Amino acid sequence: MQASDRFNINSQLEHLQAKYVGTGHADMNRFEWAVNIQRDSYASYVGHYPMLAYFAVAENESIGRERYNFMQKMLLPCGLPPEREDD
């Protein structure tokens, strides 16, 4: 592996991280990562009708109500962010 290959791979990774928020970056903390995972999951549930119907049947709610609940959970999926420690 040559230095140019390594540079090319790193530049591709940086491009992906800039383009897609969920891919993460070196400065991402655990809370931000968990929020991205939860939001991606909720978006997938809302976007895939059979999965949404499954949750609606399992929770004995209408599909519209489940969609609404998932959309509301996307706002703060992991609660409020923790206090930052300034070093």
Side-chain angles (χ1 to χ4, degrees), residues 46-79:
V46 169
H48 293 91
Y49 185 81
M51 195 69 169
L52 189 61
Y54 173 79
F55 282 114
V57 169
E59 295 186 11
N60 197 24
E61 292 282 350
S62 68
I63 292 173
R65 173 58 61 184
E66 280 300 307
R67 178 178 286 123
Y68 175 78
N69 288 340
F70 285 139
M71 297 289 271
Q72 291 299 312
K73 288 179 184 178
M74 286 174 78
L75 295 175
L76 287 173
C78 298

Side-chain angles (χ1 to χ4, degrees), residues 1 8-9 23 39 45 49 63 70 87:
M1 186 173 206
N8 190 17
I9 291 170
T23 56
R39 284 190 177 145
Y45 302 155
Y49 185 81
I63 292 173
F70 285 139
D87 293 335

Side-chain angles (χ1 to χ4, degrees), residues 3-83:
S4 63
D5 293 338
R6 201 171 313 135
F7 175 74
N8 190 17
I9 291 170
N10 285 336
S11 66
Q12 288 176 359
L13 183 60
E14 288 174 6
H15 174 72
L16 280 175
Q17 290 170 343
K19 188 173 181 182
Y20 302 107
V21 176
T23 56
H25 51 80
D27 296 329
M28 179 179 268
N29 62 26
R30 182 182 176 125
F31 179 78
E32 292 171 347
W33 179 81
V35 166
N36 282 338
I37 296 297
Q38 288 287 72
R39 284 190 177 145
D40 286 347
S41 297
Y42 290 140
S44 178
Y45 302 155
V46 169
H48 293 91
Y49 185 81
M51 195 69 169
L52 189 61
Y54 173 79
F55 282 114
V57 169
E59 295 186 11
N60 197 24
E61 292 282 350
S62 68
I63 292 173
R65 173 58 61 184
E66 280 300 307
R67 178 178 286 123
Y68 175 78
N69 288 340
F70 285 139
M71 297 289 271
Q72 291 299 312
K73 288 179 184 178
M74 286 174 78
L75 295 175
L76 287 173
C78 298
L80 295 174
E83 295 291 324

